[in-house]
Amino acid sequence: MREIIDLACTTCKRRNYSTSKNKKNDPDRLERNKFCKFCRKHTSHKEVK
């Protein structure tokens, strides 16, 4: 049930992180606050396919 996903910065649209999630427990797209090394600040990162 676990699937590997990428997290992309909402500001610069670059894919910075990869993680896994359980599609059964989290059917919606994930959104986390993470540090973007390209923007050099903490920004919101959303799940992309």
Side-chain angles (χ1 to χ4, degrees), residues 23-39:
K23 288 192 81 170
K24 195 175 207 178
N25 295 339
D26 298 312
D28 300 331
R29 292 189 178 223
L30 289 179
E31 184 171 353
R32 299 281 187 256
N33 282 325
K34 295 240 177 219
F35 182 79
C36 179
K37 62 184 176 182
F38 303 105
C39 299

